[in-house]
């Protein structure tokens, strides 16, 4: 029997539609898995700062000003500034009650140091959570946001967790040489550290890099993305981002879930291919190279911050109130990873 031409056309169109749907699902499903996060990002007006958050904002401002204004440029070509940053960070760790280890290594006969402090776990000391940020600056930039903000947040968290018993071991690390010319090379401070962890067969459960986390904007179009992320995420740069590679997806979702459950602040998260622009642009990349799960907490840096890697990256560009809300929200995230009860941390913070 010969079918009418219109029947053939309709049948062909139906098959093509089904095929297109299958292809579309095959493309969309991986992205759905990578981008789907627990809970919902906070929306609406931000609540008033608590007194503790106001104090935290002042604390963060003071540390950023120290790094970016009083010390200023701090990198391989400005040894005086770099050494001053080391002394400042080491002093702050010690004043919080820690013993500081300097992991020193040489480049062209000159010493460079990662700074490490630790709270040993009480139940699972062999399981380690690393919180870190790089303290060096790019070229001639004072680097208030990149990465004075990350260092200030690391110090603030270290102060709040000092002498708090945790199930897992908690380490805070200030990394050197994240910026060019050492970025993603063998001389990058975090890679030197991550390699030592692997050589020692240490069980890093998760490493969290705090990278450029102080700038926020409610302006439409203030947030940019590498394609195709612009199809899913908001155009306002008023949120904090949690970013990992695909292998670290579970850790990203844990962090986002805890943050959203405990914090009234916009947040977005994603577990993405590591070669997508921006995904590996900080110290968490180093841990991926050694087979560890790691993620970055960020305001998305060059995709939002107009002063990224310029001499205008100064302390006055940072929104300290929103910065404080983010750091306050990271407290329960860290507590959840290391096994400290929320009640214990609330009691600790009330006496801080």
């Amino acid at each position: 029997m010969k079918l009418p031409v219109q029947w053939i056309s309709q049948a062909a169109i139906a098959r093509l539609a089904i095929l297109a749907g299958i292809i579309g699902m095959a493309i969309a499903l991986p992205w759905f898995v990578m981008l789907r996060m627990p809970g919902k990002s906070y929306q609406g007006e931000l609540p008033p700062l608590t007194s503790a958050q106001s104090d935290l904002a002042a604390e963060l401002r003071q540390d950023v000003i120290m790094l970016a204004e009083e010390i200023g440029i701090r990198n391989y070509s400005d040894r005086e500034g770099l050494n001053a940053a080391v002394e400042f960070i080491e002093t702050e760790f010690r004043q919080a009650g820690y013993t500081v280890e300097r992991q020193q290594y040489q480049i062209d006969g000159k010493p460079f140091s990662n700074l490490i402090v630790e709270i040993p776990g009480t139940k699972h000391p062999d399981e380690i959570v690393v919180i870190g940020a790089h303290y060096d600056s790019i070229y001639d930039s004072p680097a208030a946001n990149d990465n004075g903000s990350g260092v200030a947040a690391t110090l603030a968290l270290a102060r709040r967790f000092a002498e708090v018993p945790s199930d897992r071991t908690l380490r805070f690390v200030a990394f050197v040489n994240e910026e060019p010319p050492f970025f993603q090379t063998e001389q990058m401070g975090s890679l030197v550290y991550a390699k030592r962890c692997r050589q020692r067969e240490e069980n890093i459960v998760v490493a969290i890099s705090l990278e450029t986390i102080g700038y926020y904007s409610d302006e439409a179009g203030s947030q940019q993305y590498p394609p195709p992320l612009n199809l899913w995420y908001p155009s306002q740069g008023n949120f904090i981002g949690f970013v990992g590679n695909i292998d670290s997806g579970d850790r990203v979702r844990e962090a986002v879930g805890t943050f959203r459950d405990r914090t009234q602040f916009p947040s977005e998260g994603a577990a993405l291919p590591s070669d997508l622009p921006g995904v590996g642009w900080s110290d968490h990349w180093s841990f991926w190279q050694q087979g560890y799960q790691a993620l970055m907490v960020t305001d998305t840096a060059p995709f939002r911050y107009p002063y990224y890697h310029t001499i205008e990256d100064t302390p006055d560009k940072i929104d300290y109130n929103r910065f404080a809300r983010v750091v306050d929200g990271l407290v329960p995230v860290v507590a959840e990873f290391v096994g400290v009860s929320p009640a214990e941390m609330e009691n600790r913070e009330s006496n801080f």
Side-chain angles (χ1 to χ4, degrees), residues 107-163:
I107 300 176
D108 297 329
K110 297 178 181 179
F112 295 85
S113 298
N114 295 319
L115 306 175
I116 307 154
V117 300
E118 177 180 288
I119 304 168
T122 57
K123 293 184 179 179
H124 309 289
D126 58 327
E127 297 179 4
I128 303 163
V129 173
V130 174
I131 311 296
H134 73 89
Y135 63 87
D136 59 311
S137 68
I138 183 73
Y139 305 125
D140 59 352
S141 174
N145 198 26
D146 181 20
N147 193 30
S149 63
V151 175
T154 300
L155 291 174
L157 291 170
R159 293 177 188 121
R160 281 151 182 79
F161 280 90
E163 301 179 3

Side-chain angles (χ1 to χ4, degrees), residues 10 12 28 90 99 133 186 196 198 209 265 282 286 289 291 319:
Q10 290 174 358
E90 192 170 71
T99 299
E186 294 297 312
R196 190 182 77 170
R198 178 55 68 195
S209 170
F265 193 85
S282 193
S286 298
Q289 308 316 301
D319 185 332

Side-chain angles (χ1 to χ4, degrees), residues 33-325:
V33 172
M34 289 185 283
L35 305 183
R36 187 183 182 190
M37 293 289 135
K40 292 183 179 180
S41 176
Y42 179 80
Q43 296 181 344
E45 187 175 349
L46 295 174
L49 288 178
T50 65
S51 60
Q53 289 172 333
S54 294
D55 291 343
L56 175 56
E59 177 185 335
L60 295 168
R61 181 193 296 270
Q62 178 176 306
D63 287 347
V64 170
I65 288 174
M66 172 58 76
L67 286 162
E69 194 170 287
E70 297 190 29
I71 294 174
I73 300 168
R74 48 197 186 278
N75 54 43
Y76 73 102
S77 62
D78 192 321
R79 299 287 302 179
E80 182 178 353
L82 196 68
N83 291 337
V86 168
E87 294 299 328
F88 165 67
I89 296 166
E90 192 170 71
T91 296
E92 293 302 311
F93 276 146
R94 284 178 175 162
Q95 288 182 349
Y98 294 97
T99 299
V100 184
E101 176 196 356
R102 287 196 186 191
Q103 182 195 14
Q104 197 170 93
Y105 64 102
Q106 301 280 324
I107 300 176
D108 297 329
K110 297 178 181 179
F112 295 85
S113 298
N114 295 319
L115 306 175
I116 307 154
V117 300
E118 177 180 288
I119 304 168
T122 57
K123 293 184 179 179
H124 309 289
D126 58 327
E127 297 179 4
I128 303 163
V129 173
V130 174
I131 311 296
H134 73 89
Y135 63 87
D136 59 311
S137 68
I138 183 73
Y139 305 125
D140 59 352
S141 174
N145 198 26
D146 181 20
N147 193 30
S149 63
V151 175
T154 300
L155 291 174
L157 291 170
R159 293 177 188 121
R160 281 151 182 79
F161 280 90
E163 301 179 3
V164 176
S166 58
D167 292 349
R168 288 170 167 161
T169 293
L170 175 58
R171 288 181 187 165
F172 294 98
V173 187
F175 299 113
V176 72
N177 292 343
E178 188 267 359
E179 298 288 5
F182 306 116
F183 180 68
Q184 294 190 355
T185 72
E186 294 297 312
Q187 297 167 324
M188 186 172 172
S190 54
L191 185 57
V192 172
Y193 175 75
K195 280 186 173 181
R196 190 182 77 170
C197 292
R198 178 55 68 195
Q199 290 166 357
R200 293 180 174 182
E201 299 183 345
E202 292 181 331
N203 180 14
I204 307 295
V205 174
V206 64
I208 301 177
S209 170
L210 305 180
E211 174 67 54
T212 315
I213 59 176
Y215 185 80
Y216 303 90
S217 174
D218 295 316
E219 295 294 324
S222 57
Q223 182 66 54
Q224 306 298 317
Y225 305 93
L229 299 182
N230 55 302
L231 301 176
W232 287 280
Y233 289 109
S235 65
Q236 292 175 296
N238 62 356
F239 61 88
I240 190 67
F242 294 79
V243 183
N245 62 356
I246 293 173
D247 289 344
S248 305
D250 288 344
R251 298 309 187 198
V252 175
R253 284 182 279 273
E254 287 177 49
V256 171
T258 302
F259 187 89
R260 289 179 172 177
D261 184 56
R262 301 293 304 280
T263 308
Q264 292 178 299
F265 193 85
S267 59
E268 301 293 342
L272 300 164
S274 58
D275 56 356
L276 193 70
V279 172
W281 290 357
S282 193
D283 296 297
H284 57 303
W285 173 88
S286 298
F287 292 87
W288 296 347
Q289 308 316 301
Q290 299 303 309
Y292 293 120
Q293 292 182 306
L295 60 108
M296 168 176 59
V297 179
T298 180
D299 65 14
T300 74
F303 298 103
R304 177 190 306 176
Y305 188 48
Y307 312 105
Y308 177 75
H309 280 189
T310 73
I311 61 173
E312 295 182 76
D313 182 7
T314 49
D316 59 298
K317 306 302 193 308
I318 292 177
D319 185 332
Y320 293 95
N321 286 349
R322 286 199 259 195
F323 182 17
R325 294 178 192 272

